Amino acid sequence: MSRSARASAFSILENDGIPSRLRRGCDALFTLAIFAWLAEGVFRTVPTLGRDVLGTFGWLELSIAVLFASEWALRVWIAPEQYHEGAMTATNARRLYLFSPLGLLDAAIPIVYFFGDRTLGLGGAMIEIVELLAVFKLTRYFPGLDLVFSVLRTEIRPLGAALAAMLTLLLLASSVMYYLERDAQPDMFASIPASMWWGIVTIATVGYGDMAPVTPFGRLATGVVMLIGIALFALPAGILANGFAVELKRRDFLVTWRLVAKLPIFADLDAAVIASIARLLQPRAMPKDSVVIRKGEPAHGMYFVLSGELEVHVPNRTVRLGQGSYFGEMALLSDQPRSATVVANVDCELLELGSAEFKRVCAEYPLLKERVEAEAARRAAASAKP
Ligand code: CMP
């Protein structure tokens, strides 16, 4: 099949940032299927329901397993679309998906469902556990879930340092308590490892009360450990909050990068060049019938069309601009007021490049400037025609 069919399938299955009804429908279908699959797996463990009652939903389980198997095959096919053209061969892109954690899970669930029992000889518990792992498939549809894993991965070092500090406190506190309490409560604080239970419960400020100090010094030490425990527990929370903020910013940028890479004017540029331009662009949502540019007004930037359609009112006619095109460059190049009025025909998503940023891009990438100048000259000539 052609590359454009693959690109369309990609934009339906994967979020490429361009809003689409088909993708929303597809996301809803998969989310529902995963929830139904998980509900079946969870309720199967309720003895009063058991396999007999749920057996009546066998057709649903089978349909979802077929859906998951087809999804896996589709994702293998569209994997090359994930990367900028030329950045990676199709085989490597597919290998990357096949051996990614989600790729392995996408394959494992239908394999275990269809072949786990007889062909692979897996036990019932093993099959059920693999099937319940479908919860991780939700990370595709609930970005928050995936975010948690990314943040844990990127913040592993500071989190490790916080954990090391907690372990040090645990060892010190438990050892001190062992020496302070062992004579008064030899059964409870029988050893340092036994005292560590008290340490964990106290540092975590849970306080079950099953092990409590009775000596004055033991109580004093407990008070100190509680206060330090609160401070140490706040540390990972702070690290995670910062990690979330950084990760969200990075993702926003990645979405913009993908969108910019898709615009024809930038499509053949280096990934690094696209990245530096993407940093300069601001998303703008324009509702239907709004005036984006008014003839005669001073220019503050130019626009790239991510989705929607706009009309340029030039003398005696209107010119339509669709997804992938740009406008507002003429006034920036000539330092003149706007040459025409541009109105959104439908709800539009645009990326704006401010005038200062436009000048920077022109100075740094003369090839782009030439392209924009050539197009502006063509447009000016077309507008001048009677
Ligand atoms: P600018 O003059 O900054 O603001 C109005 C914009 O409309 C202009 O830049 C061009 O981007 C766009 N425009 C003007 N004339 C035409 C045309 N003939 N075809 C397409 N776009 C045009």
Side-chain angles (χ1 to χ4, degrees), residues 293 312 314 319 321 327-331 338-340 342 379 382-383:
I293 282 178
V312 185
V314 287
V319 180
L321 296 176
F327 60 94
E329 79 293 359
M330 286 165 67
R338 296 294 193 188
S339 64
V342 184
R379 287 176 174 178
S383 301

